Amino acid sequence: MKFARVSVLLLAFLAWVWTGSQAIAQGASKTIKVLIVTGGHAFEKPQFFEMFKANPDITFKAVEHPDAHALLGAGAAKDWDVLLLYDLYQPISDQAKADFVARLKEGKGLVVLHHAIANYQDWPEYAKIIGARYYLQETEVDGVKKARSAYQHDLDLPVKIKDAQHPITAGLKDFVLHDETYKLFDISPDAHVLLTADHPASSPVVGWTKTYEQARVVYLQGGHDHLAYENPNFRQLVRQAINWAAPGN
């Protein structure tokens, strides 16, 4: 009788261990669902989307303006975990603003690439969300005149890893990215700097993280064309940015 009881207890214990290990394995292999928003700026579509097709951690849906804002609503947002912006778009309704903020309050992740820094110039909250304000024209902010932000194509930008301990930069070393640069834009003081660059045509800060409400937010300056998309360092940054921004990670 004692032997039978011990056997039953042992089998129960082994079943519990197996169930737990399966749950851990399933959690570890959970695929991140990404909504990729484009529109308002030309780009090399096949090469850009190949960067995401080659990412084994995700599945993605691509949407282009003016259809993107409809997917920020509560019902549609159940189909994605991370919002990735690669758009350059200005019109945004009050409903879309409310939906955008609501999703971030729910903890959806946000990854912003390259020219999406210049979205929604007439919506000040967007700058608070992403941690930067890019000026498409000369502007006055709180009585201070801001020059138009600047960009320059086809430069070799030496990117330095400022925080090598962060999950987004894990495994990376300083590298050179042939890309378009930006400068003369404002960066929030609460941005956590990940990447810097020492180049007269670029902002000294070219990548950061921050939080907004319950959301993790990442901005990466790189990403103008295939020379960036195909750079293995940039690909690794984008992949790890998505992983870090995803809820529960």
Side-chain angles (χ1 to χ4, degrees), residues 7 9 46 54 71 124 129 151 162 184 198:
S7 297
L9 291 172
L71 298 183
I129 290 169
Y151 62 90
K162 174 69 172 178
L184 301 180
D198 184 10

Side-chain angles (χ1 to χ4, degrees), residues 14-155:
L14 291 174
W16 175 78
V17 170
W18 184 87
T19 302
S21 64
Q22 288 296 105
I24 292 171
Q26 289 174 5
S29 63
K30 181 183 177 183
T31 301
I32 302 167
K33 295 176 289 184
V34 182
L35 178 65
I36 300 175
V37 177
T38 64
H41 193 293
F43 66 102
E44 298 172 328
K45 290 185 179 182
Q47 296 96 323
F48 176 75
F49 286 114
E50 177 57 33
M51 181 168 56
F52 300 98
K53 291 175 182 177
N55 184 345
D57 302 336
I58 70 168
T59 58
F60 71 90
K61 176 182 178 67
V63 61
E64 187 172 342
H65 288 297
D67 300 323
H69 291 155
L71 298 183
L72 300 179
K78 293 178 182 178
D79 294 332
W80 55 268
D81 306 306
V82 172
L83 179 64
L84 187 142
L85 300 181
Y86 189 66
D87 52 342
L88 181 52
Y89 200 69
Q90 302 308 322
I92 183 168
S93 67
D94 288 343
Q95 183 61 58
K97 293 174 184 176
D99 287 340
F100 196 130
V101 171
R103 303 294 77 80
L104 300 180
K105 287 182 176 180
E106 293 169 356
K108 301 279 190 180
L110 177 63
V111 176
V112 182
L113 299 182
H114 199 51
H115 46 249
I117 193 175
N119 284 344
Y120 310 128
Q121 295 278 295
D122 294 329
W123 184 33
E125 195 66 20
Y126 182 73
K128 295 179 183 178
I129 290 169
I130 69 169
R133 185 167 180 181
Y134 186 98
Y135 300 100
L136 289 175
Q137 60 187 11
E138 198 173 288
T139 307
E140 187 171 304
V141 179
D142 298 329
V144 178
K145 289 186 178 180
K146 300 288 186 176
R148 179 177 178 175
S149 300
Y151 62 90
Q152 191 167 337
H153 295 289
D154 300 319
L155 296 175

Side-chain angles (χ1 to χ4, degrees), residues 150-152 155 157 180-183 198-203 221:
Y151 62 90
Q152 191 167 337
L155 296 175
L157 185 68
E180 177 184 61
T181 61
Y182 299 149
K183 69 175 184 177
D198 184 10
H199 194 291
S202 177
S203 164
Q221 180 179 279

